[in-house]
Amino acid sequence: MRIVIAGGHGQIALRLERLLAARGDEAVGVIRNPQQSEDLRAVGAEPVVLDLESATVEEAAEVLRGADAAVFAAGAGPDSGTGRKDTVDRGAAVLFADAAERAGVRRYLVVSSMGADPDHAGDEVFDVYLRAKGAADAYVRSRTALDWTILRPGMLTNDAGTGEVLLAASTGRGPVPRDDVAATLLELLDTPATAGLTLELISGNVPVSVGVKDVAGN
């Protein structure tokens, strides 16, 4: 498979790219900073430099053409202000979804956030972030030309992955290693029957492959 990942230098994206490359798939990471290219090549991914905050839909579609799936894993980052929550966490997600449609890429995965809600109350930066992610998720869910799955992990950690998770429409709050988020994304890519689902993810006691099969109804 050829998988194009927005936010290709993010911590989850780099893990996913490594997993894809290790099994012989073609991982393409979209990055804004060309200096990050070597980090992607080191995990076996192909870097493509494109700033999704300023790119046109057609420019993004050009990167996506011929892909089997798209993964939106970009984010403005914890140190960014409220403005970039809108331009990246919402705006870039909308642009990438539109680009996937234009390029004819149906399978579309979103790395969202637990608590994402376009109507979330509050004025703190994290409140704005949850609204932006919620608005992006709502937009993606409205696109009938996309076979979308939205993954909402709990509190992300850099602990070593256990390979065991709790994956469900609602899990309650909890931590999850980024390793296990990437492994879950890989399994979701292999499971088209998860299209149309919004799923929460935390650490648990069910192997990733079994958890994904369970939510897919297999």
Side-chain angles (χ1 to χ4, degrees), residues 87-113:
T87 57
V88 179
D89 294 294
R90 186 202 59 79
V94 167
L95 175 94
F96 206 59
D98 288 345
E101 278 196 34
R102 185 170 297 191
V105 179
R106 290 198 64 92
R107 192 71 175 113
Y108 192 86
L109 269 57
V110 177
V111 181
S112 184
S113 176

Side-chain angles (χ1 to χ4, degrees), residues 16 21 26 42 85 91 101 108 113 115 124 129 138 140 144 161 168 190 192 208 215:
L16 176 58
E26 193 176 346
K85 303 304 183 196
E101 278 196 34
Y108 192 86
S113 176
E124 299 297 322
Y129 167 75
V140 169
T144 56
D190 290 343
V208 168
V215 297

Side-chain angles (χ1 to χ4, degrees), residues 13-207:
L14 286 168
R15 286 167 167 83
L16 176 58
E17 288 155 3
R18 188 188 297 275
L19 292 173
L20 287 164
R23 69 179 199 177
D25 287 328
E26 193 176 346
V28 180
V30 180
I31 54 176
R32 188 176 57 156
N33 182 354
Q35 294 180 339
Q36 296 169 342
S37 297
E38 283 308 312
D39 291 340
L40 270 70
R41 293 191 184 100
V43 299
E46 173 194 339
V48 172
V49 179
L50 183 69
D51 185 350
L52 293 174
E53 284 182 270
S54 59
T56 65
V57 171
E58 185 53 42
E59 287 170 336
E62 198 57 39
V63 175
L64 283 157
R65 284 199 174 88
D68 296 288
V71 179
F72 186 83
D79 298 325
S80 61
T82 57
R84 294 199 69 228
K85 303 304 183 196
D86 184 66
T87 57
V88 179
D89 294 294
R90 186 202 59 79
V94 167
L95 175 94
F96 206 59
D98 288 345
E101 278 196 34
R102 185 170 297 191
V105 179
R106 290 198 64 92
R107 192 71 175 113
Y108 192 86
L109 269 57
V110 177
V111 181
S112 184
S113 176
M114 195 173 287
D117 180 351
D119 300 317
H120 179 83
D123 299 317
E124 299 297 322
V125 172
F126 192 64
D127 298 320
V128 176
Y129 167 75
L130 290 177
R131 280 197 295 276
K133 293 296 282 186
D137 292 354
Y139 184 82
V140 169
R141 285 196 294 252
S142 75
R143 312 314 297 167
T144 56
L146 297 178
D147 295 329
W148 52 265
T149 303
I150 294 170
L151 184 66
R152 293 177 167 175
M155 185 183 71
L156 298 169
T157 75
N158 286 327
D159 296 339
T162 66
E164 296 191 336
V165 297
L166 175 59
L167 179 69
S170 179
T171 61
R173 300 210 171 255
V176 61
R178 289 178 172 88
D179 287 351
D180 290 335
V181 178
T184 302
L185 288 168
L186 187 73
E187 199 71 33
L188 289 170
L189 285 167
D190 290 343
T191 314
T194 57
L197 299 179
T198 300
L199 301 166
E200 294 183 351
L201 177 73
I202 59 174
S203 290
N205 56 13
V206 176

